Amino acid sequence: MLRYWFRGVDRFAPWIDKVHLVTCGQIPEWLNLDAPRLHFVRHSDFIPAEFLPTFKSSAIQMNLHRIEGLSEHFVLFDDDMFLIDKVRPESFFRNGLPCDKAALNTLSPKQYIMHRMVNNLIVINNSFDKHKILRNHFRKWFSLQTGTELLRTLLLLPWRAFTGLYDPHLSQAFLKSTFEEIWQKHEDVMLRTMASRFRCITDVSIWLFRYWQLAKGDFTPFNVEKDGVFFQISDSILNKIVKTIEHQKKRIVCLNDGEVSSFDSAKERINTAFQKILPEKSSFEI
């Protein structure tokens, strides 16, 4: 399915100057390493050697600012996020700032990895005053772009500290300087996460960097879900996923791993849907 991500970039986002593909060294057999817009990046190219090998995404992502040639303004796509219709730069950055939706939330622990969200909030609450942030950036936090999540923000105003932040599971716009600032101010937290090669109870995640941007007001209010949609793949929702892709009902789709009765059948249906809208090879393919 990765090739359809590259086809999506070619067709729907030709304005993107450079694609940094990060892997631990695996090279898809169809990938054109000489593609002008491709920068193939191995973990060893930007992660300090003493922390390799690493087997957790948080350790990889928190070092992205070290990638040679990475722009101050960049968009992070995980490997389950795809472009399925035309997007403009204004979908990710406006007025030099990342487009994002700021909304308060509460943590509802259901998974063991939720400890990372708690750790993220500890850093944010120790670094910022919630009510001062909301006052200083009132127009951003209480923008109509927030949509229905605005009500949740209003209801959570009485709490002195952040109890959680709304997380749209979609591609995310970042400032490289945000990474540099957090590393400078919270190197101990960063190194603690880097120290373990597998997920650990003391880890923070990439969401910390997004939360930091929201807390500083380094964002432009934008309802990101107008452009994107998140799916957790399952038998009951497979038809909806296929129709969303084929009819290009959104611009970006996230297909998060889930449980299906037949992996091969689900994979074939999704790939067929992508093939219908992206039948031609991209410049990134041999």
Side-chain angles (χ1 to χ4, degrees), residues 101-104 146-154 166 223 225:
K101 177 191 285 191
L104 299 180
T146 307
T148 57
E149 281 74 34
L150 179 56
L151 176 60
R152 188 185 295 119
T153 295
L154 292 171
Y166 178 73
N223 188 352
E225 281 129 336

Side-chain angles (χ1 to χ4, degrees), residues 87-103:
V87 292
R88 300 175 301 167
E90 292 78 18
S91 294
F92 303 103
F93 292 95
R94 296 187 183 187
N95 303 315
L97 295 175
C99 294
D100 208 339
K101 177 191 285 191

Side-chain angles (χ1 to χ4, degrees), residues 36-197:
R37 290 194 292 160
L38 177 66
H39 179 205
F40 183 76
V41 185
R42 295 173 173 82
H43 292 174
S44 57
D45 293 334
F46 70 102
I47 299 177
E50 61 265 33
F51 301 119
L52 293 175
T54 185
F55 304 96
K56 58 184 180 183
S57 60
S58 55
I60 298 166
Q61 293 171 329
M62 66 172 51
N63 284 281
L64 292 177
H65 63 293
R66 304 181 194 274
I67 293 176
E68 184 178 356
L70 183 70
S71 172
E72 164 66 4
H73 298 80
F74 72 95
V75 182
L76 175 63
F77 279 79
D78 288 340
D79 57 6
D80 56 358
M81 300 171 184
F82 302 87
L83 295 172
I84 59 173
D85 205 350
K86 291 182 179 180
V87 292
R88 300 175 301 167
E90 292 78 18
S91 294
F92 303 103
F93 292 95
R94 296 187 183 187
N95 303 315
L97 295 175
C99 294
D100 208 339
K101 177 191 285 191
L104 299 180
N105 202 356
T106 56
L107 291 183
S108 302
K110 293 182 179 180
Q111 300 172 314
Y112 290 112
I113 62 173
M114 289 296 290
H115 63 271
R116 295 184 300 176
M117 311 307 288
V118 174
N119 295 337
N120 292 341
L121 288 175
I122 290 174
V123 175
I124 294 298
N125 282 321
N126 285 334
S127 303
F128 299 95
D129 181 289
K130 171 188 166 184
H131 289 108
K132 185 177 181 179
I133 288 170
L134 299 184
R135 288 194 304 270
N136 290 347
H137 307 291
F138 182 86
R139 292 181 180 273
K140 294 187 176 185
W141 280 84
F142 298 93
S143 168
L144 293 179
Q145 291 285 349
T146 307
T148 57
E149 281 74 34
L150 179 56
L151 176 60
R152 188 185 295 119
T153 295
L154 292 171
L155 292 173
L156 291 171
L157 283 178
W159 275 261
R160 293 182 59 187
F162 287 98
T163 57
L165 289 167
Y166 178 73
D167 296 320
H169 198 133
L170 293 166
S171 52
Q172 179 64 45
F174 284 110
L175 300 174
K176 182 169 71 172
S177 54
T178 299
F179 286 65
E180 295 167 345
E181 181 179 3
I182 294 178
W183 267 94
Q184 180 183 9
K185 293 184 176 180
H186 295 284
E187 185 179 36
D188 57 331
V189 177
M190 302 293 102
L191 292 178
R192 191 161 58 239
T193 298
M194 295 295 300
S196 59
R197 302 192 188 281

Side-chain angles (χ1 to χ4, degrees), residues 217-251:
D218 288 342
F219 71 99
T220 298
F222 184 71
N223 188 352
V224 295
E225 281 129 336
K226 290 175 62 177
D227 284 347
V229 60
F230 168 84
F231 292 114
Q232 189 162 33
I233 301 174
S234 67
D235 290 331
S236 63
I237 208 168
L238 190 56
N239 285 337
K240 187 174 182 180
I241 292 173
V242 169
K243 289 181 180 179
T244 297
I245 297 171
E246 289 182 344
H247 299 293
Q248 296 170 281
K249 294 183 178 181
K250 293 286 186 176
R251 302 180 189 278

